[in-house]
């Protein structure tokens, strides 16, 4: 008797989020930057889909470029992705505080984690996006060089990153995936008091 064909269910939520983030990432950049992003996306699309049954527990993440490396944050912590525009600098704040943006009436701090992690810097481009993350009532925006999309990563592929990173960066990482994407410990990062701006308005 032939082995029954195994059908992997379509994860429509995953597809919806990928389309949404890809649309948000709408690119208008130089040809070299565009080729780099397209190559990364092509590599993602070329991957074989993985089963997401209980036998292969996965975590859904948003992947993004940061200083020529691929980072990711858990999708459950991401509220939305927003273009970097109408940024208002905030005086007397640490260099990693890029400024404030207004999202439908809500002012959010935008953190340049390249500066926080002391990574190589690059100028802002049209590809820059703000990943709005929310943890226990705290919300901040993380500046990304570009957003790649959403994907599911098997938990078994995430390896500890302690031996790969040192310094301030190592404190905020959960691990490294099999494709060398760096998974941020977004809860520790968002709840870090260094990133909380205490704003007082006189009057």
């Amino acid at each position: 008797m032939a082995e029954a064909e195994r059908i992997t269910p379509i994860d429509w939520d995953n597809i919806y989020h990928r389309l949404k983030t890809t649309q948000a990432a709408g690119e208008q950049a130089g040809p070299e930057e565009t080729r780099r992003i397209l190559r990364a996306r092509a590599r993602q699309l070329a991957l074989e889909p993985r089963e997401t049954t209980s036998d292969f527990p996965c975590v859904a993440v948003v992947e993004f470029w940061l200083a020529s490396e691929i980072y990711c944050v858990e999708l459950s912590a991401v509220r939305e992705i927003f273009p970097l525009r109408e940024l208002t600098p905030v005086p007397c704040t640490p260099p990693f505080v890029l400024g404030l943006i207004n999202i439908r009436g809500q002012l959010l701090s935008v953190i340049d984690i390249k500066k926080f992690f002391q990574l190589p810097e690059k100028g802002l481009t049209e590809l820059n996006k703000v990943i709005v993350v929310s943890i226990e009532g705290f919300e901040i925006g993380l500046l990304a060089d570009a957003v790649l999309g959403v994907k599911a990563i098997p938990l078994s592929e995430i390896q500890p990153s302690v031996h790969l990173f040192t310094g301030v960066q190592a404190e905020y990482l959960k691990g490294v995936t099999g494709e060398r994407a760096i998974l941020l410990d977004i809860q520790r990062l968002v709840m870090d008091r260094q990133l909380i701006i205490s704003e007082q308005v006189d009057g």
Side-chain angles (χ1 to χ4, degrees), residues 82-130:
F82 205 76
L84 178 64
R85 62 189 182 200
E86 300 180 3
L87 179 74
T88 302
V90 181
C92 304
T93 55
F96 55 79
V97 179
L98 197 62
L100 297 173
I101 58 172
N102 186 332
I103 300 180
R104 297 182 293 277
Q106 180 188 11
L107 293 179
L108 278 178
S109 303
V110 179
I111 304 301
D112 187 345
I113 49 179
K114 286 200 299 290
K115 290 182 179 177
F116 189 69
F117 288 165
Q118 301 173 2
L119 299 174
E121 296 185 37
K122 59 176 290 187
L124 298 176
T125 73
E126 294 290 335
L127 288 174
N128 281 115
K129 296 290 180 284
V130 177

Side-chain angles (χ1 to χ4, degrees), residues 122-198:
K122 59 176 290 187
L124 298 176
T125 73
E126 294 290 335
L127 288 174
N128 281 115
K129 296 290 180 284
V130 177
I131 302 174
V132 180
V133 294
S134 177
I135 299 289
E136 298 181 12
F138 290 95
E139 294 188 338
I140 61 173
L142 303 179
L143 179 68
D145 290 343
V147 172
L148 294 174
V150 175
K151 68 184 303 183
I153 298 175
L155 294 177
S156 60
E157 291 187 3
I158 300 175
Q159 301 298 319
S161 57
V162 177
H163 63 290
L164 297 176
F165 300 91
T166 59
V168 64
Q169 191 177 4
E171 300 177 24
Y172 304 95
L173 305 184
K174 274 191 172 178
V176 177
T177 73
E179 298 166 9
R180 308 289 294 176
I182 302 166
L183 178 61
L184 290 177
D185 187 339
I186 194 61
Q187 178 156 6
R188 174 171 288 189
L189 185 63
V190 171
M191 300 303 289
D192 192 311
R193 297 191 64 82
Q194 296 181 74
L195 300 185
I196 299 175
I197 299 176
S198 179

